[in-house]
Structures are given as C-alpha cells and as structure tokens.
C-alpha cells in the first residue's frame, strides 16, 4: 500500500473517530460564531446536524447558509498538540423538512449513533436537521502533511504544494 493510499484510508476513517464537529457561522451583522454539534455523515461526505432552533448557529445558518466545519482529533490522543489531525470543509447548509422520508432516515442515523436522547429531540418542534454539503476542504495529518480535498471528487486527496497552497 502506497503512502497516499494509507493517508486516503485514514481520511475515509477519520470522521468515524469523532462524534462532533466545530461549526463556524456568521450572523446577519457579519459577526462570526464558533460552536459545536454532534453529526452524522453519509457516503457522499454530506454532514447532517440536528440542532435546536434556539441555538445561535441555527439562526446564523438561516441568515447565511455558508458554514465552515472542523473535525479535530481529541487532544488526549494527539501525539503533539500543535499537530492534531483535522479535517475542514467549507459547506452550504440546507434545511431538511421534518417528517419527510429523508428526515426520518437521518434521524434514524442519529439514533443509531447517539442513542435514546434522539427520541426526545424528535418530540421537540424547534429541533431541525440541516444537510451541510461540502464544496471543498483540507485534511491535515501533521506537520507538513496537508492534503486539499478535490472539490469535484470529495473522496480524492490532493497533496498541498507551493502551487496549490491557497486552494482551501
């Protein structure tokens, strides 16, 4: 197995190693907000979040559907705090309508991953599911080991060089 194939496999596995994402949104006044939320991901790299309508990031997504998300290695597991593995995506958010087939399918995925607390969320009318569709991203494994994610094929990593450093 080549080095790139090993890193590709690590990239595919990494989202299963973390249960929540950091999410960056912007409100109507242009002020940034950083928060976090548990997530599930589908085979196309779409990220789904199940969030309260009372949360700042939910109001921000309604005002501006462009978000940045970060999956990051647990500090306790990282060999070096300055070189934690991380995956960043720029995304566009879309609301999934309640009680549709897709909404029910995503709720089931949340239930499998996070347990019975999801039953309570189902009964709360203010909870919403957003699909975050990545447009581009970057996977960082450590010092100098950086890969852009091909925006035309989110499963393909492209090593970062001086020529493509600003692509993400």
């Amino acid at each position: 197995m080549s080095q790139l194939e090993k890193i590709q496999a690590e990239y595919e596995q990494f989202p299963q190693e973390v249960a929540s994402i950091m999410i960056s949104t912007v409100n109507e006044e242009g002020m940034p907000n950083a928060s976090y939320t548990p997530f599930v991901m589908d085979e196309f790299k779409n990220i789904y979040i199940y969030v309260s309508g009372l949360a700042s990031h939910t109001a921000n997504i309604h005002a501006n559907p462009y978000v940045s998300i970060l999956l990051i290695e647990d500090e306790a597991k990282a060999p070096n705090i300055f070189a934690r593995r991380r995956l960043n995506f720029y995304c566009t958010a879309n609301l999934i309508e309640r009680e549709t087939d897709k909404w029910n399918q995503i709720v089931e995925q949340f239930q499998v991953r996070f347990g019975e607390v999801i039953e309570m969320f189902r009964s709360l009318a203010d909870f919403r599911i957003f699909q975050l569709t990545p447009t581009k991203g970057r996977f960082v494994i450590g010092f100098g080991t950086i890969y852009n994610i091909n925006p035309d094929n989110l499963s393909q990593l492209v090593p970062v060089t001086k020529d493509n450093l600003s692509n993400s």
Side-chain angles (χ1 to χ4, degrees):
M1 183 181 278
S2 74
Q3 183 66 15
L4 184 57
E5 288 172 327
K6 288 178 187 174
I7 292 168
Q8 184 71 41
E10 189 172 341
Y11 166 64
E12 294 297 328
Q13 176 60 34
F14 187 63
Q16 282 76 49
E17 295 178 22
V18 295
S20 64
I21 58 172
M22 305 300 157
I23 183 169
S24 178
T25 60
V26 178
N27 70 14
E28 290 178 332
E29 292 81 38
M31 296 298 296
N33 174 262
S35 189
Y36 88 98
T37 182
F39 76 99
V40 295
M41 182 183 281
D42 69 19
E43 66 273 15
F44 304 107
K45 306 282 189 258
N46 293 306
I47 297 103
Y48 298 90
I49 58 174
Y50 200 7
V51 292
S52 169
L54 304 175
S56 295
H57 51 256
T58 303
N60 293 349
I61 290 170
H62 282 297
N64 181 347
Y66 302 106
V67 301
S68 177
I69 62 134
L70 176 69
L71 291 76
I72 190 162
E73 181 177 31
D74 185 329
E75 289 180 11
K77 295 179 182 176
N80 185 313
I81 194 67
F82 289 97
R84 290 164 67 190
R85 289 181 304 149
R86 55 202 177 271
L87 173 58
N88 172 260
F89 283 119
Y90 294 99
C91 302
T92 303
N94 290 294
L95 182 66
I96 305 295
E97 291 298 321
R98 285 184 74 89
E99 304 304 331
T100 61
D101 288 343
K102 184 166 188 171
W103 186 88
N104 285 313
Q105 175 190 3
I106 301 304
V107 169
E108 288 301 318
Q109 290 176 18
F110 271 94
Q111 182 121 19
V112 167
R113 189 163 192 201
F114 299 107
E116 291 192 26
V117 69
I118 301 304
E119 280 301 317
M120 180 186 63
F121 292 168
R122 272 188 145 150
S123 68
L124 300 173
D126 73 303
F127 269 74
R128 295 166 174 81
I129 296 175
F130 287 95
Q131 176 179 317
L132 308 180
T133 304
T135 56
K136 63 181 180 175
R138 182 169 277 181
F139 184 48
V140 178
I141 297 174
F143 294 115
T145 311
I146 305 167
Y147 293 83
N148 285 330
I149 298 163
N150 182 343
D152 297 321
N153 178 358
L154 297 174
S155 293
Q156 182 182 23
L157 297 175
V158 179
V160 170
T161 65
K162 291 179 206 167
D163 296 331
N164 67 0
L165 186 60
S166 64
N167 286 351
S168 269

